[in-house]
Amino acid sequence: MSIAENSDPSKGLTSRKDAATSFQLPQILQRREGKMTRELLLHPGEHGLGMTHGSMQADATTTATCGFCATGCGLRLHIRDGKAVGLTPETAYPVNLGMACPKGWEALRILDSDQRATQPLLRQRDGALQPVSWDEAFRTFCHEFQDIQAKHGADSVAFVSTGQIPCEEMTFLGALAKFGMGIVHGDGNTRQCMATAVTAYKESFGFDAPPYTYDDFEQSDCLVFIGANPCVGHPIMWERVLRNRNQPEIIVVDPRRTETAMSATEHLQIRPKHDLQLLYAITNELIENDWIDENFIAEHTTGFDPLREHVRRYPVDQVAARAGLDADQIRRVARKIADGKAVSLWWTMGVNQSYEGVRTAQAIINIALITGNIGRPGTGANSITGQCNAMGSRLWSNTTNLLGHRKFQSESDRQDVADILGIDVDRIPTLDSWSYDQIFEGIRRGEIRGLWVIATNPAHSWIDQEDARELLDRLDFLVVQDMYHTAHTARHADLVLPAAGWGEKEGTFINSERRYGLLKKVSHAPGEALADFQIFRGIAKYWGVGDLFSDWTHPEAVFQIMQRLSAGRPCDISGIGGYRQIDACGGIQWPWTEADANAGANRGQPEQQRRLFGDGHFFHSDRRARLVFDEITPIPEPVCDRFPFWLMTGRGTVSQWHTQTRTEKSPVLRQLYPNRPYVEINPADAREMGVSNGELLALRSRRGSATASACLVPSIPRGHAFLPMHYEETNRLTLSHFDPHSRQPSYKDCAVSIRPAIDDSQL
Ligand SMILES: Nc1nc2c(c(=O)[nH]1)N[C@H]1C(S)=C(S)[C@@H](COP(=O)(O)OP(=O)(O)OC[C@H]3O[C@@H](n4cnc5c(=O)[nH]c(N)nc54)[C@H](O)[C@@H]3O)O[C@H]1N2
Ligand SMILES: Nc1nc2c(c(=O)[nH]1)N[C@H]1C(S)=C(S)[C@@H](COP(=O)(O)OP(=O)(O)OC[C@H]3O[C@@H](n4cnc5c(=O)[nH]c(N)nc54)[C@H](O)[C@@H]3O)O[C@H]1N2
Ligand code: SF4
Ligand SMILES: [Mo]
């Protein structure tokens, strides 16, 4: 079936199901690769998916949360002789209800790889990385960083962490770095991903609080997806949408006709980066027609009158012309939002990774607020999270927020943390950390000279790679702590610390709906690789601050510290009865306070689906949500004669994860995605260039060049191109620019030229 045939929205839910099951392998790629069949994906176990050692005969089972995306599926691990030999999706887990995507199925297999880092590696005088003992690694780590700090100040060493290690490890890392080692600047890959949503929620709700629970996917009668492609990025969330029995309206705003868009009842195929004005036009339409909830606005929000005045300047017809949309369709969409009894609005990277992302996210939040679509089943302004523990990093990484989402600048917040941890308050920095891009600028200026990179791969994932790699090479000392010694950033490292991965250690992840889930040690890390937790303990000892962390003996002890740090805050988890209760309950969403645990009919037993703001109370001191808006700003790098294509980037297939250090290690997954970079372009553009499917193309931006094979798809409009982020080539082209409020990179907009690769010499 061609994409065009499959795109008829009138087919209703049946066609949605048809299109949606293709999430497992987009049809274009299925055609191109031709290796995997649907059959294999529908009966994964029979074909070896999920089995690492050839047999599913197990003597015990246990469950754990998946370590890839923030859906946070529960997986049942089949154990033999104390080691996991296979896995199946957990039927009793409230998140995935027995479903998993190929990455989850293959979570164990990627642990077995000869590219695993098994010993610490230290760069020698001749430039080669050589194995050293942990003792030497820890001594060198401390000596080199302390030396840099002695010469250039404590803030000349920084760290970059991740949304992919458990909360306990994040808390340890953040506390060790900032309270133990005197580091001031630390940020994480969640800056690339969630910073916009964090900033938007904080300003609008008073706390970084995604309000929803996955049951909302099933309860809505109108779901709006803006810059989100869950069929690829969050396939099990999409399965929850398919279980919705309300024949819901599904409205998708995406410049590409993605699998998600094909399944929609309305696809607004917007020009990239025109979302803010579209949302203002819809808001204006809702207000002008009196399709709003005046009571809710009056009782629970501030800023409505100025918002009404502001959006008057965005009449539908004008916006439609600019955004490349049909005015009647925009009106129809507004009407559908007005008619919905339970409207939920969902956004992901098409919004967050924008130079005006925060205001766009807030325009989404505004629509939910003024129509009273919040706090009830099936509603909400809902940011979908990316990595397995990006939510954990938002609360616990101690990077731009003090532990538990407090403020470094607040004396009372610092005192709180010092009291709970039993440390001297002077150990806590009084300043916010620099953001990721500011840390990189600090390297350029020679102010940051030592960098510690944990569970992230900036030499592939950071924006404008040529520049990023050059900056990494300027450092006096770069430490990379990773599962694989071949990770791109490890190639630039002076010291590589070999880390255990998911399945080889324990702790908690927080999924997209605020649910703490447990991960378990079901396999042994190879060689001398250590859990990040143990690495942090080792560094604390060698740095000479072991005493500060004498209680931080194992992950659950740190979980208890986190519980104390959370008490009385919106993210309060003081009522959780330890790992055992998390395990027994199928995960527990925050908040779950001691008072909650001691009250209610089902004493001590949290309900499995809980959402925020049911009482209309938000986290600002006046308990009202703020309606925030702004002027729209021009596109920083518009297309031009020299660079006539608009380049977007994002997720390619369900079987690829980010920089591919993990997913490329599974032979099964490797057959499910194109192993060489490809670029989606419209067949009409290809015809004009005289290019056919699969031919090699040369892409060039003002910053760099890349080659990729042509993938001709009508789902991308003319004059546009889409490169998956999973290939190293992609970020050679991207433009280093950021949302001014969240400092999140705007990865999805820059201008490129595209020619047949044979013309390379003439470019
Ligand atoms: N298979 C797989 N799943 C993943 C990941 C992975 O690497 N692989 N990564 C996880 C992570 S960390 C994240 S953050 C999520 C990301 O999940 P998503 O955000 O859903 O994924 P993306 O493909 O980055 O972007 C979503 C869509 O934004 C659209 N877009 C681009 N520009 C614009 C624009 O200006 N406006 C609008 N409205 N849309 C635009 C793109 O066409 C794309 O379809 O996925 C998570 N899940
Ligand atoms: N052009 C473009 N670029 C993008 C994006 C885009 O859409 N377009 N998306 C951005 C987004 S949303 C994200 S989230 C980032 C992701 O970017 P990265 O975080 O750089 O990508 P990953 O491949 O997930 O890197 C994680 C690293 O941690 C290692 N690792 C995994 N588990 C562990 C562990 O338990 N311990 C340790 N120590 N190491 C571990 C892995 O081997 C891998 O090297 O990319 C961003 N970059
Ligand atoms: S959807 Fe996400 S959490 Fe679920 S199995 Fe796939 S990668 Fe894991
Ligand atoms: Mo992400």
Side-chain angles (χ1 to χ4, degrees), residues 125-319:
R125 287 228 169 82
D126 65 0
L129 281 169
Q130 291 293 343
V132 293
S133 67
W134 271 110
D135 176 62
E136 187 173 348
F138 284 140
R139 274 193 289 113
T140 311
F141 178 101
C142 295
H143 172 260
E144 293 291 337
F145 279 164
Q146 285 172 346
D147 195 43
I148 291 172
Q149 287 183 319
K151 285 192 193 126
H152 304 283
D155 57 358
S156 59
V157 171
F159 70 97
V160 181
S161 86
T162 185
Q164 295 177 57
I165 57 175
C167 297
E168 294 75 359
E169 294 184 345
M170 283 175 188
T171 308
F172 205 153
L173 168 60
L176 168 64
K178 292 210 169 171
F179 313 151
M181 297 166 62
I183 289 179
V184 180
H185 302 303
D187 202 11
N189 64 3
T190 40
R191 180 74 55 185
Q192 297 162 297
C193 181
M194 300 316 303
T196 289
V198 173
T199 310
Y201 276 140
K202 260 163 68 174
E203 287 180 7
S204 294
F205 293 163
F207 196 80
D208 173 24
Y212 60 100
T213 186
Y214 293 158
D215 193 40
D216 292 323
F217 285 121
E218 299 185 29
Q219 301 297 327
S220 282
D221 59 3
C222 176
L223 298 101
V224 188
F225 289 93
I226 304 143
N229 185 13
C231 287
V232 167
H234 298 93
I236 303 305
M237 291 192 200
W238 184 251
E239 287 294 320
R240 299 293 299 265
V241 176
L242 297 175
R243 287 164 52 96
N244 186 313
R245 289 164 183 262
N246 303 323
Q247 294 288 318
E249 290 290 342
I250 299 184
I251 298 159
V252 172
V253 184
D254 196 308
R256 297 186 304 142
R257 195 162 178 79
T258 59
E259 290 98 305
T260 312
M262 284 176 218
S263 319
T265 52
E266 298 282 353
H267 174 205
L268 290 162
Q269 194 160 9
I270 193 170
R271 285 203 180 110
K273 300 292 164 268
H274 284 70
D275 303 76
L276 187 53
Q277 37 186 315
L278 168 68
L279 292 161
Y280 287 157
I282 292 175
T283 307
N284 186 45
E285 194 68 9
L286 292 167
I287 296 173
E288 294 275 294
N289 289 296
D290 210 9
W291 292 334
I292 50 176
D293 185 337
E294 274 164 15
N295 283 341
F296 191 89
I297 294 170
E299 281 168 33
H300 301 298
T301 69
T302 53
F304 179 70
D305 289 338
L307 173 71
R308 179 176 48 204
E309 289 310 308
H310 178 77
V311 295
R312 272 201 186 128
R313 292 158 46 205
Y314 298 90
V316 166
D317 292 295
Q318 281 177 24
V319 169

Side-chain angles (χ1 to χ4, degrees), residues 352-584:
N352 282 0
Q353 292 170 346
S354 307
Y355 58 85
E356 49 188 8
V358 171
R359 294 297 177 247
T360 307
Q362 287 169 328
I364 298 171
I365 295 172
N366 293 347
I367 291 177
L369 290 170
I370 64 168
T371 57
N373 276 299
I374 195 134
R376 289 183 290 111
T379 65
N382 305 329
S383 143
I384 301 176
T385 312
Q387 304 165 79
C388 51
N389 202 24
M391 285 285 286
S393 101
R394 288 151 79 162
L395 292 178
W396 299 116
S397 63
N398 209 26
T399 49
T400 37
N401 302 298
L402 179 57
L403 294 172
H405 218 78
R406 292 176 170 84
K407 294 190 181 73
F408 281 102
Q409 302 95 325
S410 153
E411 201 179 329
S412 65
D413 279 359
R414 291 198 305 274
Q415 193 61 54
D416 265 4
V417 169
D419 292 345
I420 296 165
L421 299 186
I423 60 170
D424 188 345
V425 72
D426 294 339
R427 286 195 166 274
I428 303 181
T430 53
L431 288 177
D432 266 353
S433 162
W434 283 345
S435 56
Y436 204 132
D437 63 305
Q438 290 163 337
I439 290 175
F440 271 61
E441 287 310 313
I443 302 175
R444 197 188 308 284
R445 292 193 305 271
E447 290 170 25
I448 300 285
R449 291 173 169 262
L451 188 68
W452 180 16
V453 174
I454 305 101
T456 184
N457 196 6
H460 174 143
S461 61
W462 188 243
I463 202 158
D464 187 1
Q465 269 303 302
E466 202 160 317
D467 185 50
R469 291 183 182 198
E470 201 221 300
L471 292 176
L472 289 173
D473 287 334
R474 279 196 205 181
L475 288 159
D476 293 347
F477 202 68
L478 171 64
V479 179
V480 172
Q481 186 166 321
D482 204 286
M483 289 170 67
Y484 303 98
H485 65 83
T486 48
H488 314 75
T489 314
R491 293 181 209 146
H492 300 256
D494 298 293
L495 178 66
V496 178
L497 301 178
W502 175 92
E504 297 167 343
K505 57 184 180 181
E506 55 172 20
T508 55
F509 287 153
I510 311 176
N511 80 353
S512 209
E513 43 158 11
R514 310 180 318 284
R515 185 182 303 274
Y516 280 81
L518 210 53
L519 62 154
K520 300 214 183 110
K521 183 172 175 177
V522 291
S523 192
H524 296 286
E528 293 172 26
L530 291 177
D532 295 282
F533 195 91
Q534 300 304 336
I535 299 177
F536 302 143
R537 274 181 68 80
I539 290 169
K541 181 170 160 238
Y542 278 74
W543 197 275
V545 291
D547 284 356
L548 278 183
F549 300 99
S550 55
D551 295 342
W552 302 49
T553 48
H554 59 287
E556 195 163 7
V558 175
F559 183 76
Q560 285 160 5
I561 294 170
M562 287 160 45
Q563 286 185 290
R564 293 202 289 280
L565 284 163
S566 77
R569 308 202 43 83
C571 55
D572 193 330
I573 47 163
S574 58
I576 295 181
Y579 283 0
R580 269 183 72 170
Q581 196 192 12
I582 296 178
D583 213 13

